[in-house]
Amino acid sequence: MKTKLFVFAFLICSIAIIAQDNCSTFYPMNEGVSMEYTNYNKKGKVQGISTYKVVEATNSAGTTNATMAIDMKDQKGKDVYSTTYNLSCSGNMVTLDYESLLPSEMMQQYGDMDIEISGNDIEIPNELSVGQQLNDANVAMKISMSGINMNMTVDMTNRNVEKKESVTTPAGTYDCFVLFSENRSKMMMANQVYPSRVWLAEGIGMVKQETYKKNGDLMSSTMLTAHSK
């Protein structure tokens, strides 16, 4: 099976939203906020557009919980995938469901099958600094079909704040922290590594993302192309 991982793009997009009650520096939750991201292949050709919208946000006992609806279209505007993720913000940390690590293409393909999912949530602190190490995250999935079980894991490791950099996208120019990670996918006998970088801006979230092959060659990219409060 050929699987394209845009994992880090999806997970950061899922938490790239605007403030409510100052819960988070980078990605607090506020109902109605929406982001549009355009996905490109290694040659810069548009591969699709993803829209992220906060459809529900609540605040109780110092914790903010939100639901993000995600709709993805291909380069011709055809609907290819829709899903929702849950987020929470408490104290100095935003937490995203570990299920967001799973490739959207895979969830679409196996959505009607018996699936068991477990893992460790993704955490990103409110305060970032260059050189800072971030906690690993992972998800494991067991797929049952016709009496046969298949296991898959995705591990996000070596997470760190690499540098600060200004980035310009069609939505504007932003001062960003650059976060690096290695995304490891294991399924059956296949074991692949996809290094990734994401550019995070305060009060906006992700404005750019790049995924690479193991040798460092660019494989795909994602860029913020519209933003609405």
Side-chain angles (χ1 to χ4, degrees), residues 69-149:
I70 305 173
D71 295 302
M72 304 174 190
K73 300 179 183 295
D74 63 17
Q75 65 271 32
K76 296 181 180 180
K78 181 181 178 180
D79 293 328
V80 295
Y81 187 68
S82 296
T83 189
T84 58
Y85 292 143
N86 296 318
L87 310 86
S88 66
C89 177
S90 180
N92 189 44
M93 193 74 66
V94 170
T95 303
L96 176 68
D97 281 352
Y98 50 74
E99 292 185 28
S100 65
L101 281 170
L102 292 171
S104 60
E105 292 175 338
M106 175 172 293
M107 295 306 293
Q108 181 183 13
Q109 182 177 358
Y110 296 119
D112 295 331
M113 299 180 184
D114 185 13
I115 300 176
E116 297 179 14
I117 302 174
S118 60
N120 294 316
D121 291 337
I122 303 119
E123 297 179 341
I124 301 184
N126 287 333
E127 299 178 4
L128 296 177
S129 59
V130 175
Q132 182 177 0
Q133 299 295 311
L134 304 177
N135 291 337
D136 293 344
N138 64 76
V139 61
M141 182 171 66
K142 181 179 179 180
I143 306 167
S144 298
M145 56 181 182
S146 302
I148 300 175
N149 293 328

Side-chain angles (χ1 to χ4, degrees), residues 99-209:
E99 292 185 28
S100 65
L101 281 170
L102 292 171
S104 60
E105 292 175 338
M106 175 172 293
M107 295 306 293
Q108 181 183 13
Q109 182 177 358
Y110 296 119
D112 295 331
M113 299 180 184
D114 185 13
I115 300 176
E116 297 179 14
I117 302 174
S118 60
N120 294 316
D121 291 337
I122 303 119
E123 297 179 341
I124 301 184
N126 287 333
E127 299 178 4
L128 296 177
S129 59
V130 175
Q132 182 177 0
Q133 299 295 311
L134 304 177
N135 291 337
D136 293 344
N138 64 76
V139 61
M141 182 171 66
K142 181 179 179 180
I143 306 167
S144 298
M145 56 181 182
S146 302
I148 300 175
N149 293 328
M150 293 192 303
N151 297 309
M152 176 184 177
T153 61
V154 177
D155 296 302
M156 180 181 290
T157 63
N158 194 21
R159 300 179 63 215
N160 65 86
V161 183
E162 194 173 55
K163 58 184 176 179
K164 294 188 71 174
E165 187 172 81
S166 179
V167 173
T168 298
T169 79
T173 299
Y174 307 93
D175 292 326
C176 301
F177 284 99
V178 181
L179 275 61
F180 174 86
S181 69
E182 291 183 349
N183 305 302
R184 301 175 180 271
S185 171
K186 299 178 183 179
M187 185 170 186
M188 307 298 286
M189 300 301 294
N191 188 348
Q192 297 175 304
V193 178
Y194 299 92
S196 178
R197 286 184 176 86
V198 63
W199 284 253
L200 285 179
E202 185 173 325
I204 296 294
M206 191 192 87
V207 297
K208 180 182 176 182
Q209 181 270 344

